[in-house]
Amino acid sequence: MAQSKKKRFYIRTAILAVLTIAIVFTIYSNVTKEKNAVLREGDKAPDFALVDLEGNEHRLSDYKGEGVFLNFWGTWCKPCATEMPAMDNQYHVYKDQGVQTLAINIGESQLKVNSFKNSHGLTFPIAIDQNKSVMQSYNIAPLPTTFLINPDGRIEKIIKGEMTEQDIADFMEQIKPS
């Protein structure tokens, strides 16, 4: 009789453990679902607010009605360094045509990013995502990654990797308000 009670105890404990694990997994999955959502072309671009190196706040929602060329980068990233001067050239061509350029550095120091900006003569707004919350919202990997956001605030295109100056010009033309 004692053997049978012991066996039932172990079976009930195992069932309870499996149910507990299932409940914890379900709760965890629902809580982190939004973080894991992969953005696709046509999706509404997640809003954010970051301060650039000059102290100006940039909120994506403030650019409704304009195209946004949103570039994620790092100072250590060779393809990023290669495309930045071309981005700056096209920034000057398109900034008065309703296309905003915003480069978001991923978590590096202000001193390092400022030094990079000055050594490359960059003039477009650069913000630093210190806590990497925007990077997580946009599921960034690898660097550079660029989002073309149309005047309606929707993702027109996602570009992973280095772009040529002609690519950048074509992409800015694509999100220019009509």
Side-chain angles (χ1 to χ4, degrees):
M1 194 80 139
Q3 244 351 30
S4 146
K5 279 187 176 183
K6 214 175 196 181
K7 191 175 180 182
R8 270 187 290 173
F9 171 76
Y10 287 126
I11 291 173
R12 287 179 182 162
T13 303
I15 291 171
L16 187 60
V18 168
L19 287 174
T20 302
I21 290 169
I23 290 169
V24 168
F25 176 76
T26 302
I27 292 170
Y28 176 78
S29 294
N30 285 329
V31 167
T32 61
K33 181 169 49 176
E34 193 164 306
K35 276 187 181 177
N36 297 331
V38 175
L39 294 174
R40 292 188 171 79
E41 292 174 6
D43 288 351
K44 182 145 181 56
D47 198 13
F48 62 84
L50 290 173
V51 177
D52 70 18
L53 297 174
E54 278 70 46
N56 303 311
E57 185 180 77
H58 295 269
R59 189 175 295 278
L60 186 62
S61 55
D62 291 343
Y63 298 117
K64 188 150 177 72
E66 299 178 272
V68 179
F69 188 88
L70 185 62
N71 178 265
F72 292 86
W73 69 285
T75 61
W76 49 267
C77 165
K78 297 287 186 229
C80 301
T82 303
E83 72 184 8
M84 287 285 184
M87 279 174 49
D88 199 63
N89 291 340
Q90 295 308 309
Y91 163 70
H92 289 288
V93 171
Y94 284 92
K95 70 179 180 177
D96 295 328
Q97 297 181 47
V99 176
Q100 296 295 324
T101 300
L102 180 59
I104 299 179
N105 176 274
I106 305 300
E108 295 183 86
S109 74
Q110 184 154 354
L111 180 65
K112 195 174 222 176
V113 175
N114 241 333
S115 174
F116 181 94
K117 176 186 177 186
N118 294 336
S119 72
H120 288 80
L122 304 175
T123 57
F124 53 79
I126 297 175
I128 302 173
D129 184 13
Q130 288 294 352
N131 62 9
K132 299 182 181 177
S133 62
V134 180
M135 180 186 117
Q136 289 171 350
S137 294
Y138 280 78
N139 298 300
I140 299 305
L143 292 180
T145 294
T146 302
F147 283 77
L148 302 181
I149 302 170
N150 68 26
D152 296 325
R154 298 222 167 264
I155 298 167
E156 192 78 23
K157 188 166 185 62
I158 302 169
I159 303 105
K160 294 179 184 281
E162 185 180 337
M163 298 171 283
T164 66
E165 186 155 354
Q166 186 60 56
D167 292 337
I168 294 167
D170 292 343
F171 292 144
M172 289 189 173
E173 191 67 37
Q174 196 175 330
I175 57 172
K176 184 171 82 171
S178 38

